[in-house]
Amino acid sequence: MSNLIYPTLDLFLYALKSPLNATQQEINKNQENFLSQLPDGIQIEEDDSETEYSNLTKPVRVDFKTNDDLEGYYYPVRLNDTYGLQIDCSVKNQTDPQPAKCFKNLKTEIESKLNRELAIIGQTWILSGCLPKDSFQNPEDIAQDCYYALFEDSDRLQKGKGTFLGGNIFEFWRSRNLTRNESSDRHIIIAIYPNQESAEKAANFYTDWMGLFCYRNKIIWAYWQSRLVKESLIHHYKKIEENRKIIDRDNYWHNKQSFTTSRQIINNINDILQQYTVDLLKLSFQKQVIEINLSDYQTRLTFIKEKAGKDNQLDLFEDLIDLANRKYLLQITKDIENMQLGLQLLKDTINAIRSHIEVEKAARDRNFQELVAVVGAGVATVSLLKEPVKDCKDIFSKTDICNYPFSFSLAIGVLVGFGFWLLRKRLL
């Protein structure tokens, strides 16, 4: 059986304070939702100035009430545009070994404190404890048992391990699944210390973990946001293609309503194109978010390594750096290039449709001018012949034509108009 002394579970969760283009009302709502995580009566002390790391309450840690066997606290902070909250829960007994399955109870206690309305950008669980004296347990086996105490499945897990303060540290990571509407990755750190002294030293690193995991979760959050933006761009592109295919039909321009419909299609495409352009800017913005937080992540990790000392092996946290450079940034860069090509194709499509509309408009204008000319010639002929036909009675008294002067002049007008139309066709 896997046993640990003083098992402790910490949840680090992060929520945006002021997203891009957020209104003051939205910022206030985010603060209200974050504040609702804390016990009643707790006030947040913050200002609008930029700050890399600041405590939000006095005292900085707020104890929460639980049963007699457990103890815990909240630790809320602000990291620039992000709220961070550590919820710590541990077994009160610091001397007797506890089974690994006790982490399930600790997780239940922490989750009972969560406000489900808080929209988080990511979270990290840290499980820690000390090995009993003269223990021969395999730390890796203990880590597996601790993990299964929190989560029963083990699909698509990425694992890493290292050493920290004389103990062993393990990382478990499962990427989110958008088809299951998962809001964040599953990220778990398990630290198994050789003695109580090491565990006490580890407590001095909580503020460092808070910053490191904030940058980590923002990197991954920005990448998944870029996937959603890419889906939106593809959707916009398909909508424009659907409109283009309507105009490309063989019999489309023979339809009398095609001119009016084409104008409506152009307006639809222009609206979609504006959304496409905005999403393309969002894609570039998410790339910048990754680059900034990746730089901060590397700086913070370097600081932690120096603080922990050379005997510690924390290279497992560098896997994210490699992943961000090798996949996240490269993928978004390629997406931006492809979507910019798509933008040019969409603009060419609009120009082609506009050109076709102008050709159709010119043809319609020419036909209308011909109609006006023909009708004008006919009307002029009728006007000129109306009076002379009346006077023909004295000359052609025996002819029925003279009894219907208007009909006769109208017939002549039609013939003249038709002849005028044929002449224009030959000359033009």
Side-chain angles (χ1 to χ4, degrees), residues 61-62 79 89 152 197 235 249 314 336 362 414:
R61 293 181 178 179
V62 180
L79 306 99
C89 190
E152 295 180 357
E197 182 182 358
H235 174 73
R249 292 173 185 169
L314 298 175
I336 292 173
V414 171

Side-chain angles (χ1 to χ4, degrees), residues 148-249:
Y148 290 128
L150 261 67
F151 304 101
E152 295 180 357
D153 62 278
S154 59
D155 57 320
R156 297 187 303 281
L157 278 177
Q158 301 178 23
K159 304 176 184 179
K161 61 181 179 179
T163 58
F164 181 59
L165 302 179
N168 294 272
I169 188 168
F170 304 88
E171 180 182 42
F172 296 81
W173 175 13
R174 193 192 75 179
S175 297
R176 75 190 70 186
N177 189 323
L178 293 179
T179 60
R180 292 205 296 257
N181 198 30
E182 293 178 348
S183 60
S184 64
D185 287 16
R186 179 183 295 176
H187 185 227
I188 302 100
I189 303 297
I190 300 177
I192 301 174
Y193 303 109
N195 49 55
Q196 188 69 24
E197 182 182 358
S198 295
E200 291 174 356
K201 288 182 180 179
N204 297 323
F205 284 81
Y206 277 142
T207 55
D208 300 305
W209 297 135
M210 175 71 81
L212 184 73
F213 298 142
C214 176
Y215 302 134
R216 179 195 184 280
N217 280 287
K218 289 181 74 174
I219 290 169
I220 297 173
W221 174 80
Y223 175 71
W224 286 111
Q225 288 296 308
S226 75
R227 299 306 87 201
L228 296 176
V229 173
K230 181 183 177 181
E231 287 183 7
S232 179
L233 284 165
I234 293 174
H235 174 73
H236 294 327
Y237 191 91
K238 288 181 178 179
K239 293 293 290 184
I240 293 178
E241 281 294 295
E242 290 174 4
N243 283 275
R244 184 186 63 79
K245 288 179 181 179
I246 294 175
I247 292 180
D248 285 348
R249 292 173 185 169

Side-chain angles (χ1 to χ4, degrees), residues 323-341:
L323 180 65
N325 286 306
R326 175 176 47 83
K327 179 181 178 181
Y328 294 172
L329 291 175
L330 181 61
Q331 181 67 59
I332 296 177
T333 300
K334 292 295 182 183
D335 290 340
I336 292 173
E337 293 174 356
N338 292 335
M339 294 305 169
Q340 285 176 337
L341 290 176

